Amino acid sequence: MSSRAFSKTIPLRKPISPALRRYVYFFGGGKADGNKDMKAELGGKGAGLAEMTNAGLPVPPGFTIQTEACREYMRNGGKLSPEVDRQMREALSRLEAMEGRKLGAGDNPLLVSVRSGAQASMPGMMDTILNLGLNDSSVEALARRGNNPRFAYDSYRRLIHMFGDIVLEVPKRKFDDAFEQQKKRSGVQLDTDLDTKALKQIVEEYKKIVRQHTGKDFPQSPLEQLSMARDAVFRSWNNERARHYRRMNQISDDMGTAASVQCMVFGNLGETSGTGVGFTRNPSTGAKEFYGEYLMNAQGEDVVAGIRTPLPISELDRTMPGIYQQLREITSRLEKHYRDMQDFEFTVMEGRLYMLQTRNGKRAGRAAVRIALDMVEEGLITKEEAIFRVEPNQLYEFLLPRLDETDAKVHELTRGLPASPGAAVGQIIFTADDAVKKVNGSKKSSVILVRSETTPEDIHGMEVAAGILTSRGGMTSHAAVVTRGMGKCCVAGAGEIHVDEKLREIRVRNHVLREGDWISLDGSTGRVLKGKLNTVPASPDDPELKEFLSWAEPFRTMKVRANADIPRDAVQALAFGAEGIGLCRTEHMFFAEDRIAHMRAMILATSEAERRKALRKLLPMQRSDFVGIFRAMAGLPVTIRLLDPPLHEFLPRREDLMVEVALLEKTNPRSPKLAERRNLLARVEELHEFNPMMGHRGCRLGITYPEISEMQARAIFEAAVAVAKEKIRVSPEVMIPLIGGPKEMANQKKIVQQVAEEVFKAEKLRVPYMVGCMIELPRAALIADDIAGVAEFFSFGTNDLTQLTYGFSRDDINRFLPSYVERGSVKQDPFGALDRKGVGRLVRMATELGRQAKPTLKVGVCGEHGGEPSSIEFFYSVGLDYVSCSPFRVLTARLAAAQAAAKEKLGYEGGRTK
Amino acid sequence: MSSRAFSKTIPLRKPISPALRRYVYFFGGGKADGNKDMKAELGGKGAGLAEMTNAGLPVPPGFTIQTEACREYMRNGGKLSPEVDRQMREALSRLEAMEGRKLGAGDNPLLVSVRSGAQASMPGMMDTILNLGLNDSSVEALARRGNNPRFAYDSYRRLIHMFGDIVLEVPKRKFDDAFEQQKKRSGVQLDTDLDTKALKQIVEEYKKIVRQHTGKDFPQSPLEQLSMARDAVFRSWNNERARHYRRMNQISDDMGTAASVQCMVFGNLGETSGTGVGFTRNPSTGAKEFYGEYLMNAQGEDVVAGIRTPLPISELDRTMPGIYQQLREITSRLEKHYRDMQDFEFTVMEGRLYMLQTRNGKRAGRAAVRIALDMVEEGLITKEEAIFRVEPNQLYEFLLPRLDETDAKVHELTRGLPASPGAAVGQIIFTADDAVKKVNGSKKSSVILVRSETTPEDIHGMEVAAGILTSRGGMTSHAAVVTRGMGKCCVAGAGEIHVDEKLREIRVRNHVLREGDWISLDGSTGRVLKGKLNTVPASPDDPELKEFLSWAEPFRTMKVRANADIPRDAVQALAFGAEGIGLCRTEHMFFAEDRIAHMRAMILATSEAERRKALRKLLPMQRSDFVGIFRAMAGLPVTIRLLDPPLHEFLPRREDLMVEVALLEKTNPRSPKLAERRNLLARVEELHEFNPMMGHRGCRLGITYPEISEMQARAIFEAAVAVAKEKIRVSPEVMIPLIGGPKEMANQKKIVQQVAEEVFKAEKLRVPYMVGCMIELPRAALIADDIAGVAEFFSFGTNDLTQLTYGFSRDDINRFLPSYVERGSVKQDPFGALDRKGVGRLVRMATELGRQAKPTLKVGVCGEHGGEPSSIEFFYSVGLDYVSCSPFRVLTARLAAAQAAAKEKLGYEGGRTK
């Protein structure tokens, strides 16, 4: 095969008048009308078939009816122009001439498949018809020719079944029932045990079903079959699961599918026939080894169905060494041609090899890195291209243990949202206290904390648990956000699970699991598995990862920081390459067991003096946290956010207190506890808010109770000075949350500056610092120029900004967002990838306004989006100075930021095909 | 007096180099350096004194130190340039020469007052010193000269008291205590009963206090007194109450005050002296009558203090007819000069009249209209000017009854927020059910519903109550919003009141009021009064109002609609001049007693079929409401908003159910009610949201449950067609709430259109209609161009838009907003007047983007801001087609919209001075 073969393109891509439009593209005999660049017209499959044909591969010939025909079909209410039919018949004639056979006629009838294939990959979403061309007479010819009537009738019944279901819209169940009845009548278990007679009876039964259901006979004209099948494939573009899939993957509804008509080849014509799938490299490890499996005397669907166990492809070398060699040679040529690892399908028909499909293969994260490195070494791709061969999210894998799926019989109970990746294996436990007790009792114990949803009060339990499972809440629920921050495995919102904390059991479908039962979580897929599976540990220091990153990183211009609240997280973030802390949430420090009492005392205080007293208790604790973080970061910037959540989050739940008080009133009205609980309830009532997300929180607390901001600023600067005295550089950035205007900012900045000066004076040492703010209220973005006048940096809190811009409460969003995304009312979960159009507009506006007012303004982002690749690309385009994300997303963010910059600099994505 | 006198101006307004700057402006002898246009430099008082002097009025002479001196004083940390002192001494010399007396010296010592006065009126907020120039020797001279030692020593002790308090910052209490002790020692009750000896003792006592507190003697040097008093007046610009007042009234902190030094005149020199205040017309009724009161032998503060009862000014004609005539002549000249009703202060000293102050008088709403009409008739002002002589909010008065304050001894219990104006008198009642029971029991009864806060479940009680009083909630709380909509008096958030619903009593300070006790509310001022006061009824058909509006209305280009949910409100709105319904909230219809059961059934339904069944029950009820509204509006546009609030608002409160279930579990675990309550609680839990404002509401309901939108659309179109068949024109505009993007809009629009077509087909009649949406999410504003592609109109929901832009929950905002506004972190309550900078930017952006995409797009506003004058002015500037507000604000909105347009067209505000 010469490389020229790949450059034969037919430049026929601009729209032409309908009558002259080319609807049908032929492929076969080493030549194709299309090529790999024509995915828009021919779909991925059609373009691939054309390309493979051009490359001289043994591809069964055929033709592709292009997507424009599908679009016309949809536009015109299910009608096609006669021109499409004319071109299709012409192509069919050419195919028949090339093969020397007639569609569904003659002694050696030509059979074809009709397959869907869109520009974007939508695996299994649309329909396909096989064995087309069979009818009452051609089935006999087929039987005679191969001397295999069983095969012929089996093919025929498959055609009627598929055609009946997809084209004629006969309920599939009818065919299945008839088939099962026949098996019963014949007294067999397996489909393959049915003999020719039984299959003939099934064919008759099927034809009867078609007649009953449609009022017409199963079409005997092969051409009619072909036209009908083509139309059905076009219609399948709009079937429910295809629409759903497009929504999920942001694929436009307007593109349509192509329909590829191709000569059938059979892998089930006896012991010299077979079928298989494979990869040019190991998709799990990336090892350069021919990898795959096959079945002799079988059709493709048999491999997938799992009734027979396929053989490893190396066996083929033994049984059909010539075919094996040819396959290896072809696939290695394919890999060189596409310059990427290939995922291919092949069929051997009576000793002859046919290639049915090839495409760039999906691979795991580790494999992606290894393949990229190997291919550079092999000279197949450049280092620049290699950068794009790994999806940023795939780097996650290096940081997390995995379930060892080979280890045990994997029994999937249910699936939830893959809220925080990794694997966790442990015993079920229902409360945070029990989790702590259990783990303290035996350091070897491993628990999975199972809750309907978690709250900040569960933190201590979440910290000791191996993993978290919740039945409610979405990708941005408390459980999800906190565990991602901890780098701990979490499956959230597993709606099928009913958590009964009273009975201490969970029910899921027919299973009941009790406290102490073992389960395993796969946080990367959301799977919940029964039993105690083995795990494989993480490998963040992987030398291959390091080499790969050494190519990508030089392109990166945007800094990557981590969100870390405690010294341990800071150390970890640094190990993953974080260039600072972009968000240190001080409130998480207050939930610790030894602190919450003081926090509550502060909240329940009725005077400033009392409040200050409680704050003085918290000061040394908070200071020591900051000391740890400053030491760990050794001069890298550390952005510390002042207290943000509403105060009632630190108190018991209002409704629990109400119930407690009501019960005490009824049962023990003189109990001294009643008075105490009533008092507490009164304060909780005072703090109660209908919409706490929009309530008395953020800088609003610091403005109402300046002594809180003062204490926090004091803890920060005393810690900074203490560390500086150890000759370690420090670079604190004090961040004020929930700023809505310049006066709020000025108010809090003044407090911070005053405290800083006091501390510097008292300690006789100054350290450099900055005071800036979160941009998380739409108003802050809208008047960012005013705010930039008093703020030294901005950090976008894109979670809250998204909540307020959409009017979505992320605590509640699971009520309707899933059905919303499904119905297409919202394109995708805006808490996953940043909404560029709405929220992004505010981000861009605020950045521009802020820098107009203050050109030196440092601007970053510390919301969840800071670790999401497509959002990172957007932030790069806006010109942010840094993104900050959870430590476990730092690697991902580094690569995403590098890719964004490289893409702009190189002007390409290194030929990456998705 | 010639009119030329008023045009003598000294054009010295541009800044000049400090040394050459004119700091001091003299007035006296019929000539002044300044004039009325120099308020920025001389303050309102200084400019007024200059103007009056120029007008040839008998004004005590003096000079004004301009505001720039105050600004320098603040900038330079309490220092003034020597130039200020030099100019002041020069002016003092001129004054002494003119008077032929010396400050605080000689046989006839000159005494002066030093008064503050800023550009914007800040009545009583800053400090004033009287009797300056008295010392141990001049007090004797003064005593000798008037042969009135008592007067002299009384003046001296007043000076030391005022000077000690304001200038030397001696605690006021010290002087008060000493004074009371002296009264005790002398055995007298009234200040005026103290004799000379006692006053002398007080002076000595006071001087001792000064010495003790400051370590220095009371300054005996008159010039030193003057400099110190001047500086204290400058400092008083930044005292706490002045800063607070500026915040409340949006006055800049940077302007500073002027200090006017003026010869003292005394009204307390015997029976030929006196002092008084007056208006050139009656400020309550507007009648053209000389109106005021005075006291003989008294100082100004005696009139205000209320120790002696002043006499009506007509009495002066009897006692001092010459003075009376002179005063009438002067004030009528003043009114003609200022071309507005004047509020003046005068003093008669030993038979000679002095004018101390004159300014445009504040007046009530009715009076404002009458005065404007009269002045046009008198040829004093033009009709165009008259338009601006009435504040839009003042028109309210015509629509509401008032308390008759003369009727009874007014006893103010406390004050809350003036949430909804008017007057209400009734008996206290604590629950909505009791209110209904009581009013149903006796139609004559009048009740005030008193609640800590109201909820939608209280609606039936609010409807029958004469007025509403709440102890919690702000200007936009449920009680406030609903009552404003009803045009019913409401005092909200009266924080001093403790409502004890169990004991059925309210406690406020030392008072306890019980169910059945009479109270009176003044919703225009927020006063809560004890007892049963009389009221004066409303007068919306006032012929004077009509004539006034006939001048203003032709300027108006922006339409004014009303928010009305039921036919009765629509009828009322129309009577007030509404040009359509801008917001008909359909959910309020569901809270009615006969409907809520069906609504609950709909919510509790577990299947679409069940839901539809319940909806079918609601359909005819809703339809009949729409019929009533369409009939009332007779072809004017009616914007109907589909269901907006989260469903749990229609169910019992979650926490109440939790308590109920817990108690039943404890006390009666087998009760069948327990199961029922548990089921209900389960559903309420399902619907529970942490932040319902941002939850499953608005179009999100209609998308999840399309059958709700369908039912509502059906009710609308069946009603529209039914009314059209009565030959009454209809113009429904269906409005989709909480739209965040074009797909949501397209989804709901399709449902509405389908139902419309079905109804039109079935009824064989078409009516014109539109489908549009609320713009209340920031995202909707940001991508308004996309949304305009599918919406036929926009209506800004500025309440929610403000909530989300600020991240303020208006249900909770009272927790911190008042202290926020006070501390200056927020300029003003953004739910009162629209925040032009942030929210306004979104409004402008959305209007522009929307009209770019669809030039014919109709754009209006239906939030509370639609009835607020300054917001209306902004909406006019943005080019909105209409504003919509509660019926009781329609008059206000009409005038505000007319003024906004007239201001632009005429290029002036008709010389209105505030």
Side-chain angles (χ1 to χ4, degrees), chain A residues 436-468:
Chain A
V436 171
K437 218 177 293 167
K438 176 116 186 160
V439 174
N440 285 350
S442 159
K443 288 291 163 197
K444 273 191 201 156
S445 57
S446 174
V447 299
I448 305 282
L449 180 62
V450 181
R451 311 269 302 154
S452 47
E453 59 199 317
T454 62
T455 70
E457 299 224 347
D458 293 328
I459 293 280
H460 58 299
M462 295 170 78
E463 271 174 355
V464 300
I468 314 293

CSV table of all heavy atoms in Angstrom, one decimal, chain A residues 436-468:
chain,number,residue,atom,x,y,z
A,436,VAL,N,-16.3,6.6,63.3
A,436,VAL,CA,-15.1,7.0,64.1
A,436,VAL,C,-14.9,5.9,65.2
A,436,VAL,O,-13.7,5.5,65.4
A,436,VAL,CB,-15.4,8.4,64.8
A,436,VAL,CG1,-14.2,8.7,65.8
A,436,VAL,CG2,-15.4,9.5,63.7
A,437,LYS,N,-16.0,5.5,65.8
A,437,LYS,CA,-15.8,4.5,66.9
A,437,LYS,C,-15.2,3.2,66.3
A,437,LYS,O,-14.3,2.7,66.9
A,437,LYS,CB,-17.2,4.2,67.4
A,437,LYS,CG,-17.2,4.0,68.9
A,437,LYS,CD,-18.7,3.7,69.4
A,437,LYS,CE,-19.5,5.0,69.3
A,437,LYS,NZ,-21.0,4.7,69.5
A,438,LYS,N,-15.7,2.8,65.2
A,438,LYS,CA,-15.3,1.5,64.6
A,438,LYS,C,-13.8,1.6,64.2
A,438,LYS,O,-13.0,0.7,64.5
A,438,LYS,CB,-16.1,1.2,63.3
A,438,LYS,CG,-15.7,0.0,62.5
A,438,LYS,CD,-16.8,-1.0,62.5
A,438,LYS,CE,-16.3,-2.3,61.9
A,438,LYS,NZ,-17.1,-3.4,62.2
A,439,VAL,N,-13.4,2.7,63.6
A,439,VAL,CA,-12.0,2.9,63.1
A,439,VAL,C,-11.1,3.1,64.3
A,439,VAL,O,-10.0,2.5,64.3
A,439,VAL,CB,-11.9,4.0,62.1
A,439,VAL,CG1,-10.5,4.2,61.7
A,439,VAL,CG2,-12.7,3.7,60.8
A,440,ASN,N,-11.6,3.8,65.3
A,440,ASN,CA,-10.7,4.0,66.5
A,440,ASN,C,-10.6,2.6,67.2
A,440,ASN,O,-9.5,2.3,67.8
A,440,ASN,CB,-11.4,5.0,67.4
A,440,ASN,CG,-11.1,6.4,66.9
A,440,ASN,OD1,-10.4,6.6,65.9
A,440,ASN,ND2,-11.8,7.4,67.5
A,441,GLY,N,-11.7,1.8,67.2
A,441,GLY,CA,-11.6,0.5,67.8
A,441,GLY,C,-10.6,-0.4,67.2
A,441,GLY,O,-9.8,-1.1,67.9
A,442,SER,N,-10.5,-0.4,65.9
A,442,SER,CA,-9.5,-1.2,65.2
A,442,SER,C,-9.0,-0.5,64.0
A,442,SER,O,-9.8,-0.2,63.1
A,442,SER,CB,-10.2,-2.5,64.8
A,442,SER,OG,-9.4,-3.1,63.8
A,443,LYS,N,-7.7,-0.1,64.1
A,443,LYS,CA,-7.1,0.6,63.0
A,443,LYS,C,-7.2,-0.1,61.7
A,443,LYS,O,-7.1,0.5,60.6
A,443,LYS,CB,-5.7,1.0,63.4
A,443,LYS,CG,-5.5,2.0,64.5
A,443,LYS,CD,-6.0,3.4,64.0
A,443,LYS,CE,-6.2,4.3,65.2
A,443,LYS,NZ,-7.0,5.5,64.9
A,444,LYS,N,-7.4,-1.4,61.8
A,444,LYS,CA,-7.4,-2.2,60.5
A,444,LYS,C,-8.7,-2.1,59.8
A,444,LYS,O,-8.9,-2.5,58.7
A,444,LYS,CB,-7.0,-3.6,60.9
A,444,LYS,CG,-5.5,-3.9,60.8
A,444,LYS,CD,-5.3,-5.4,60.9
A,444,LYS,CE,-3.9,-5.7,61.4
A,444,LYS,NZ,-3.9,-7.0,62.0
A,445,SER,N,-9.8,-1.7,60.6
A,445,SER,CA,-11.1,-1.8,60.0
A,445,SER,C,-11.2,-0.7,58.9
A,445,SER,O,-10.6,0.3,58.9
A,445,SER,CB,-12.1,-1.6,61.1
A,445,SER,OG,-11.9,-0.4,61.7
A,446,SER,N,-12.0,-1.0,58.0
A,446,SER,CA,-12.3,-0.2,56.8
A,446,SER,C,-13.8,0.0,56.7
A,446,SER,O,-14.5,-1.0,56.7
A,446,SER,CB,-11.7,-0.8,55.6
A,446,SER,OG,-12.0,0.0,54.5
A,447,VAL,N,-14.3,1.2,56.7
A,447,VAL,CA,-15.7,1.4,56.7
A,447,VAL,C,-16.2,2.3,55.5
A,447,VAL,O,-15.4,3.1,55.0
A,447,VAL,CB,-16.3,2.1,58.0
A,447,VAL,CG1,-16.0,1.2,59.2
A,447,VAL,CG2,-15.7,3.5,58.2
A,448,ILE,N,-17.4,2.0,55.0
A,448,ILE,CA,-18.0,2.8,54.0
A,448,ILE,C,-19.2,3.5,54.7
A,448,ILE,O,-20.1,2.8,55.2
A,448,ILE,CB,-18.6,2.0,52.8
A,448,ILE,CG1,-17.5,1.1,52.2
A,448,ILE,CG2,-19.3,2.9,51.8
A,448,ILE,CD1,-16.6,1.8,51.3
A,449,LEU,N,-19.1,4.8,54.8
A,449,LEU,CA,-20.2,5.6,55.4
A,449,LEU,C,-21.3,5.7,54.5
A,449,LEU,O,-21.2,6.3,53.4
A,449,LEU,CB,-19.7,7.0,55.9
A,449,LEU,CG,-20.7,7.9,56.6
A,449,LEU,CD1,-21.2,7.2,57.9
A,449,LEU,CD2,-20.1,9.2,56.8
A,450,VAL,N,-22.5,5.2,54.8
A,450,VAL,CA,-23.7,5.2,54.0
A,450,VAL,C,-24.7,6.1,54.6
A,450,VAL,O,-25.1,5.9,55.7
A,450,VAL,CB,-24.2,3.8,53.8
A,450,VAL,CG1,-25.5,3.8,52.9
A,450,VAL,CG2,-23.2,2.8,53.3
A,451,ARG,N,-25.1,7.2,53.9
A,451,ARG,CA,-26.0,8.2,54.4
A,451,ARG,C,-27.0,8.5,53.3
A,451,ARG,O,-26.6,8.4,52.1
A,451,ARG,CB,-25.3,9.5,54.8
A,451,ARG,CG,-24.1,9.3,55.7
A,451,ARG,CD,-24.4,9.4,57.1
A,451,ARG,NE,-25.1,10.6,57.6
A,451,ARG,CZ,-25.9,10.6,58.6
A,451,ARG,NH1,-26.1,9.5,59.3
A,451,ARG,NH2,-26.5,11.7,59.0
A,452,SER,N,-28.2,8.9,53.6
A,452,SER,CA,-29.0,9.5,52.5
A,452,SER,C,-28.4,10.7,51.9
A,452,SER,O,-28.3,10.9,50.7
A,452,SER,CB,-30.5,9.7,53.0
A,452,SER,OG,-30.4,10.4,54.2
A,453,GLU,N,-27.8,11.5,52.8
A,453,GLU,CA,-27.0,12.6,52.3
A,453,GLU,C,-26.1,13.1,53.5
A,453,GLU,O,-26.4,12.8,54.6
A,453,GLU,CB,-27.8,13.8,51.8
A,453,GLU,CG,-28.7,14.4,52.8
A,453,GLU,CD,-29.8,15.3,52.2
A,453,GLU,OE1,-29.5,16.0,51.3
A,453,GLU,OE2,-31.0,15.2,52.6
A,454,THR,N,-25.0,13.7,53.2
A,454,THR,CA,-24.1,14.1,54.3
A,454,THR,C,-24.2,15.6,54.6
A,454,THR,O,-24.7,16.3,53.7
A,454,THR,CB,-22.6,13.8,53.9
A,454,THR,OG1,-22.3,14.6,52.8
A,454,THR,CG2,-22.4,12.3,53.7
A,455,THR,N,-23.9,16.0,55.8
A,455,THR,CA,-23.9,17.4,56.2
A,455,THR,C,-22.5,17.7,56.8
A,455,THR,O,-21.7,16.7,57.1
A,455,THR,CB,-25.0,17.6,57.2
A,455,THR,OG1,-24.5,17.0,58.5
A,455,THR,CG2,-26.3,17.1,56.8
A,456,PRO,N,-22.2,19.0,57.0
A,456,PRO,CA,-20.9,19.3,57.6
A,456,PRO,C,-20.7,18.6,58.9
A,456,PRO,O,-19.5,18.4,59.3
A,456,PRO,CB,-21.0,20.8,57.8
A,456,PRO,CG,-21.9,21.3,56.7
A,456,PRO,CD,-23.0,20.2,56.6
A,457,GLU,N,-21.7,18.2,59.6
A,457,GLU,CA,-21.5,17.5,60.9
A,457,GLU,C,-21.0,16.1,60.7
A,457,GLU,O,-20.6,15.4,61.7
A,457,GLU,CB,-22.8,17.4,61.7
A,457,GLU,CG,-23.4,18.8,62.0
A,457,GLU,CD,-23.9,18.9,63.4
A,457,GLU,OE1,-24.0,17.9,64.1
A,457,GLU,OE2,-24.1,20.1,63.9
A,458,ASP,N,-21.0,15.6,59.5
A,458,ASP,CA,-20.5,14.2,59.2
A,458,ASP,C,-19.0,14.2,59.0
A,458,ASP,O,-18.5,13.1,58.8
A,458,ASP,CB,-21.3,13.6,58.0
A,458,ASP,CG,-22.7,13.4,58.4
A,458,ASP,OD1,-23.0,13.1,59.5
A,458,ASP,OD2,-23.6,13.5,57.4
A,459,ILE,N,-18.4,15.4,58.9
A,459,ILE,CA,-17.0,15.5,58.4
A,459,ILE,C,-16.1,14.4,59.2
A,459,ILE,O,-15.3,13.7,58.5
A,459,ILE,CB,-16.5,16.9,58.6
A,459,ILE,CG1,-17.2,17.9,57.7
A,459,ILE,CG2,-15.0,16.9,58.4
A,459,ILE,CD1,-16.7,17.9,56.3
A,460,HIS,N,-16.2,14.3,60.5
A,460,HIS,CA,-15.3,13.5,61.2
A,460,HIS,C,-15.5,12.0,60.7
A,460,HIS,O,-14.5,11.3,60.7
A,460,HIS,CB,-15.5,13.6,62.7
A,460,HIS,CG,-16.9,13.3,63.2
A,460,HIS,ND1,-18.0,14.1,62.8
A,460,HIS,CD2,-17.3,12.4,64.1
A,460,HIS,CE1,-19.0,13.6,63.4
A,460,HIS,NE2,-18.7,12.6,64.2
A,461,GLY,N,-16.7,11.6,60.4
A,461,GLY,CA,-16.9,10.3,59.9
A,461,GLY,C,-16.4,10.1,58.5
A,461,GLY,O,-15.9,9.1,58.2
A,462,MET,N,-16.6,11.1,57.7
A,462,MET,CA,-16.1,11.1,56.3
A,462,MET,C,-14.6,11.0,56.3
A,462,MET,O,-14.0,10.3,55.5
A,462,MET,CB,-16.6,12.3,55.6
A,462,MET,CG,-18.1,12.4,55.4
A,462,MET,SD,-18.7,13.9,54.8
A,462,MET,CE,-18.4,13.7,53.1
A,463,GLU,N,-14.0,11.6,57.3
A,463,GLU,CA,-12.5,11.6,57.3
A,463,GLU,C,-11.9,10.2,57.6
A,463,GLU,O,-10.9,9.8,57.0
A,463,GLU,CB,-12.0,12.6,58.4
A,463,GLU,CG,-11.8,13.9,57.8
A,463,GLU,CD,-11.4,15.0,58.8
A,463,GLU,OE1,-11.4,14.7,60.0
A,463,GLU,OE2,-11.1,16.1,58.4
A,464,VAL,N,-12.6,9.4,58.4
A,464,VAL,CA,-12.1,8.1,58.8
A,464,VAL,C,-12.6,7.0,57.8
A,464,VAL,O,-12.0,5.9,57.7
A,464,VAL,CB,-12.4,7.7,60.2
A,464,VAL,CG1,-11.9,8.7,61.2
A,464,VAL,CG2,-13.9,7.5,60.4
A,465,ALA,N,-13.7,7.3,57.1
A,465,ALA,CA,-14.2,6.3,56.2
A,465,ALA,C,-13.4,6.1,55.0
A,465,ALA,O,-12.7,7.0,54.5
A,465,ALA,CB,-15.7,6.7,55.7
A,466,ALA,N,-13.4,4.8,54.4
A,466,ALA,CA,-12.7,4.5,53.2
A,466,ALA,C,-13.4,5.2,52.0
A,466,ALA,O,-12.8,5.5,51.0
A,466,ALA,CB,-12.5,3.0,53.0
A,467,GLY,N,-14.7,5.2,52.1
A,467,GLY,CA,-15.5,5.8,51.0
A,467,GLY,C,-16.9,6.2,51.5
A,467,GLY,O,-17.3,5.8,52.6
A,468,ILE,N,-17.6,6.9,50.7
A,468,ILE,CA,-18.9,7.5,51.1
A,468,ILE,C,-19.9,7.0,50.0
A,468,ILE,O,-19.6,7.1,48.8
A,468,ILE,CB,-18.8,9.0,51.1
A,468,ILE,CG1,-17.6,9.5,51.9
A,468,ILE,CG2,-20.1,9.5,51.7
A,468,ILE,CD1,-17.6,9.2,53.3
